[in-house]
Amino acid sequence: MPELPEVETVRRGLERGVVGRRIADVEVRHPRAVRRHELGADDFAALLAGRRIDAARRRGKFLWLPLDSGDALVGHLGMSGQLLLVDPSHADGPHLRIRFRFEDQALELRFVDQRTFGGLAVAAGGALVPASLAHIALDPMDPAFDDDAFVAAVRRRRTGLKRALLDQTVVSGIGNIYADEALWRARLHWARPTETLPRQDVLRLLTAVREVLTDAIAAGGTSFDALYVNVNGQSGWFDRSLDAYGQENEPCSRCGTPIVRERFTNRSSFRCPRCQPVPRRPRY
DNA sequence: CCTGCCGCCTGCGCGC
DNA sequence: TGCGCGCAGGCGGCAG
């Protein structure tokens, strides 16, 4: 479940479901799921066995669980990753990649990932931010997020606006769905050049980003199918509130003009052609 | 440096 | 029915 609202939904589930519990043992079922752990699956499992999970944190789309060892279990869900709390007697699904059993023998944690773009690793420095996440910008829901620095970072880039929004070193947590939703809410075209974008437009976009992320978190995220679920396997319902993403040919909920779909970086972008007109000098 | 393109995976729905 | 193709919420690495 890839973007910030979906990851936050999972984080909240982990906070309730695994914080304070002690890991008994870890079973890596697919080595690709720990490919970011340099020393391999055996080392990964050894560093986790016997450790207590002290918290559940998130920056953008990355999650981490600080451990009583001073390390942290760092995770990214990629395109299809799930962290599920399930009864140990429940049969393994075909995409089970990693299993965590706990000393209390209650619900186990399973990392399930169809496409294996996600993964977990043990990293040093868990209490603040793991070193491996240092290059990821703060996300807009972080109390320490600096709005002025964001404006400066956007205008420093020489690219199109949506590329900047998706760049996790500029601002983290935004993916293809919420980029389109925020641009629609701010009435900005995805190809607006960043370096000449008026400060007020950047700030309006940032407000729209925060609003759509807040609304989506409240709805438990966006789930188009069973791949995107919380730790209990339940879907979010924000898909019913989408105004742009996936709405090709549907009337814009502001002006009634049909939403269009366009190619963008080998994927899709959705916008209202009237509310979000093509800029004079687009950057693609 | 910075920007943008590609590869990494599996499965689904569609048209032929 | 079967098959190939396009498509999907991601990122890091690397070329230019």
Side-chain angles (χ1 to χ4, degrees), chain A residues 152-171:
Chain A
V154 168
R155 302 191 64 191
R156 202 181 303 130
R157 301 294 309 272
R158 304 180 82 257
T159 188
L161 184 53
K162 185 170 173 181
R163 287 184 190 276
L165 265 189
L166 295 176
D167 184 338
Q168 306 295 301
T169 68
V170 172
V171 53

Side-chain angles (χ1 to χ4, degrees), chain A residues 72-273:
Chain A
L73 174 59
V74 181
H76 197 290
L77 302 176
M79 291 285 268
S80 57
Q82 305 173 335
L83 285 164
L84 302 172
L85 286 166
V86 299
D87 190 280
S89 68
H90 192 278
D92 295 346
H95 304 117
L96 173 65
R97 308 305 185 194
I98 306 173
R99 182 202 320 279
F100 301 83
R101 290 192 190 84
F102 291 86
E103 290 189 351
D104 59 22
Q105 300 187 330
L107 297 186
E108 61 183 41
L109 181 66
R110 296 184 187 178
F111 179 64
V112 174
D113 190 8
Q114 178 190 103
R115 292 176 68 184
T116 72
F117 286 170
L120 304 180
V122 178
L128 297 165
V129 177
S132 57
L133 270 54
H135 63 115
I136 301 296
L138 297 186
D139 65 63
M141 311 309 278
D142 193 313
F145 189 86
D146 185 333
D147 292 13
D148 291 328
F150 172 71
V151 173
V154 168
R155 302 191 64 191
R156 202 181 303 130
R157 301 294 309 272
R158 304 180 82 257
T159 188
L161 184 53
K162 185 170 173 181
R163 287 184 190 276
L165 265 189
L166 295 176
D167 184 338
Q168 306 295 301
T169 68
V170 172
V171 53
S172 68
I174 304 164
N176 209 29
I177 294 178
Y178 299 107
D180 281 3
E181 292 302 304
L183 289 165
W184 181 88
R185 289 187 184 212
R187 306 181 189 228
L188 292 167
H189 190 287
W190 52 267
R192 288 288 294 273
T194 48
E195 67 269 35
T196 54
L197 197 63
R199 175 185 168 80
Q200 285 310 310
D201 286 350
V202 183
L203 290 172
R204 191 171 77 255
L205 177 62
L206 179 56
T207 298
V209 165
R210 288 204 175 102
E211 287 176 355
V212 72
L213 295 178
T214 299
D215 292 350
I217 290 168
T222 301
S223 308
F224 296 126
D225 55 44
L227 282 185
Y228 305 97
V229 294
N230 67 16
V231 295
N232 303 312
Q234 298 157 334
S235 294
W237 59 90
F238 193 71
D239 59 304
R240 280 166 253 174
S241 304
L242 295 174
D243 290 302
Y245 188 86
Q247 306 305 303
E248 185 178 21
N249 297 327
E250 295 295 319
C252 170
S253 51
R254 266 192 311 247
C255 75
T257 306
I259 299 291
V260 296
R261 173 193 190 131
E262 294 159 324
R263 295 300 298 170
F264 168 80
T265 324
N266 282 327
R267 47 217 301 218
S268 296
S269 248
F270 300 86
R271 69 178 171 95
C272 170

